[in-house]
Amino acid sequence: MKTLFSFMFAATLFFAIQSEAAAQKYFTYDGDTFSVQLKTNSANTQVMEIYFSSEGEWHKFDIVDYHDLTDTRKGGFVYTVKDGKGHRYEVDYRSYADYVVVHNSDYTSEWRLNRR
């Protein structure tokens, strides 16, 4: 009986972990100097988390603001994010061509990242 209970517990835990992992989608966009990863909800309708990668490490940025551009000519969305030091960036997803443009807060720098 104890073995059966252990097996059932392990099977339940395995399926719970599998269903949780399948509930998220990741999209990675690569540039020359860094990458951006967008983590969406299971319906792929909202970005839940945004990560930047530099020198082989991923860093989560806080989402500060969001603008839906679905009804515009270029489509997509713009998220304003903030790093751990308080610097802000805009992650501009262009749905018509499936790439991301990242701007720093004063628009003096721009990076185009293509989907992996």
Side-chain angles (χ1 to χ4, degrees):
M1 184 69 165
K2 189 175 184 179
T3 305
L4 179 61
F5 176 74
S6 296
F7 174 76
M8 293 298 289
F9 177 75
T12 302
L13 184 61
F14 174 78
F15 287 115
I17 291 171
Q18 292 296 330
S19 66
E20 181 66 27
Q24 300 167 347
K25 295 183 180 182
Y26 297 88
F27 300 94
T28 304
Y29 296 84
D30 297 318
D32 293 334
T33 57
F34 65 93
S35 297
V36 171
Q37 186 176 75
L38 308 176
K39 179 177 156 184
T40 67
N41 61 0
S42 60
N44 194 29
T45 57
Q46 181 181 6
V47 173
M48 306 302 289
E49 296 176 348
I50 297 177
Y51 294 86
F52 280 66
S53 174
S54 178
E55 299 177 6
E57 293 186 27
W58 287 100
H59 304 279
K60 183 177 177 182
F61 281 36
D62 295 327
I63 296 173
V64 178
D65 198 9
Y66 164 76
H67 297 282
D68 185 1
L69 304 175
T70 312
D71 295 333
T72 66
R73 182 181 58 83
K74 70 178 181 175
F77 52 77
V78 175
Y79 280 87
T80 302
V81 296
K82 181 174 65 171
D83 68 9
K85 295 180 181 180
H87 301 117
R88 292 178 183 246
Y89 300 90
E90 286 193 354
V91 178
D92 184 356
Y93 171 68
R94 314 269 173 101
S95 62
Y96 67 90
D98 196 18
Y99 67 87
V100 168
V101 176
V102 177
H103 301 275
N104 61 349
S105 60
D106 60 1
Y107 283 85
T108 57
S109 296
E110 175 179 295
W111 303 269
R112 178 180 167 152
L113 291 80
N114 295 306
R115 188 165 174 184
R116 184 178 290 175

